[in-house]
Amino acid sequence: EMWNLFVKGGWVMYPLLALSIIALAIIIERIIAFKKIKTDTADFSSEVNELLSKNMMDEAVNRCEREESPAGRVIMAGLKNFRKSREEVESSIESAGEIEIAKMEKGLMYLLTIAKISPLLGFFGTVIGMIKAFEAIGRFGVENPRLVALGISEALITTAAGLVIAIPVFFAHFFFMNRIDKFLISLQESSLSFLETLGELEERIAMRTAKIDEIGGDYLEV
C-alpha cells in the first residue's frame, strides 16, 4: 500500500525520499554525538575553581585534560593563557566556546533546510498533479467525477509526504538547538565562574608580590 502511494505521487516522491534519508542520517548522527557530550559542567567547574583557589595550576590543567568535554576544552583555553591579560584570556575562552558550539551545530542547518524545502517540494508535486488532473478534465470532460477525484487525490500525495518529512525534522532541529542553548548557558556560567576565580587568584598573587617587595624595600633601607 505504501509503495503504491509512493508510485502514485510521481517523480517528486524520489527527491522527497532522498531528503528523508539524509535527514534521518543526520538525526541519528547527532543523537549519538550528543550522548557522548557531557553537558553538565557544574561539578567540573567547581573542581577546577577549587584547584585554582589553591593556586594548583598544574592540577587544574590535568583536570581539564581528563574531562574530555567541550567545557574542559574551553576552560583549558583560558588556563593556557592565564599569564596573559584578562582580555586575552576572555578572548581565548570565547573563541574556544564558539568552536565547540559550531561542532555541536554540525548538520543542523541541513535539517532546517530539509524541514523548509520538503513542504515546498511536496506542494510543487501537487501543482504538477493538479495540472495533469485538469488536462484529463479538458480531454474527457467532467462526465466521470471519479476520474477527476482520483487525479486530485494522487496530486495531494506529495504535499502529505512533504509534511510528513518536515514536521518531525523540524521538531528534531528544535530539540537539538534547545540542548545546545542549555549547554551554552551552562558553559557561560562555568566560564564566568572560572574568570572570577582566576581574577581572585591574580589579586592574591599581586598582593603577595607587593608585600614581598615592601619587605625587601625595608631590608634595603636597613
Side-chain angles (χ1 to χ4, degrees):
E1 184 66 28
M2 291 296 295
W3 177 249
N4 289 334
L5 286 174
F6 182 87
V7 173
K8 288 177 181 179
W11 66 267
V12 177
M13 296 295 287
Y14 290 95
L16 284 173
L17 177 63
L19 289 176
S20 66
I21 293 173
I22 294 171
L24 182 61
I26 293 173
I27 290 171
I28 292 174
E29 187 274 334
R30 286 292 84 192
I31 289 175
I32 294 173
F34 272 70
K35 281 187 176 181
K36 294 179 180 179
I37 296 174
K38 185 179 179 182
T39 57
D40 185 8
T41 63
D43 294 338
F44 163 72
S45 179
S46 298
E47 290 179 27
V48 172
N49 290 337
E50 184 177 353
L51 292 171
L52 283 178
S53 64
K54 297 176 182 178
N55 198 14
M56 301 171 67
M57 194 63 64
D58 292 337
E59 289 78 0
V61 171
N62 292 333
R63 180 65 186 88
C64 289
E65 290 176 346
R66 293 199 311 271
E67 181 65 13
E68 294 184 353
S69 71
R73 289 187 286 271
V74 169
I75 300 302
M76 186 68 171
L79 285 174
K80 286 181 178 179
N81 297 278
F82 81 97
R83 295 187 184 277
K84 298 181 180 179
S85 66
R86 181 64 176 261
E87 290 75 16
E88 289 178 298
V89 174
E90 291 179 358
S91 178
S92 63
I93 289 176
E94 185 177 349
S95 298
E98 289 175 354
I99 292 173
E100 295 301 327
I101 294 299
K103 289 179 181 178
M104 296 180 75
E105 290 179 345
K106 177 185 175 183
L108 298 188
M109 183 58 67
Y110 294 109
L111 279 185
L112 185 60
T113 302
I114 290 172
K116 291 181 177 180
I117 287 179
S118 296
L120 296 176
L121 193 57
F123 182 68
F124 175 68
T126 294
V127 171
I128 294 175
M130 294 292 286
I131 290 172
K132 291 180 179 179
F134 281 111
E135 283 181 355
I137 293 174
R139 288 181 182 178
F140 305 106
V142 292
E143 288 81 7
N144 190 348
R146 182 177 178 277
L147 180 64
V148 176
L150 184 62
I152 294 175
S153 66
E154 290 180 3
L156 293 174
I157 290 174
T158 54
T159 295
L163 292 174
V164 166
I165 295 170
I167 293 172
V169 170
F170 189 81
F171 175 78
H173 178 269
F174 171 79
F175 172 77
F176 290 131
M177 290 303 298
N178 188 52
R179 287 284 301 275
I180 292 173
D181 289 341
K182 288 182 178 179
F183 172 74
L184 181 57
I185 293 172
S186 177
L187 189 61
Q188 288 174 339
E189 291 175 348
S190 297
S191 300
L192 289 173
S193 177
F194 165 76
L195 289 171
E196 289 176 2
T197 305
L198 191 62
E200 291 172 359
L201 176 62
E202 290 173 347
E203 288 179 4
R204 290 204 305 271
I205 292 175
M207 290 177 63
R208 188 182 305 168
T209 303
K211 193 171 184 179
I212 292 173
D213 291 341
E214 184 180 347
I215 295 173
D218 291 340
Y219 276 120
L220 286 174
E221 289 176 3
V222 172

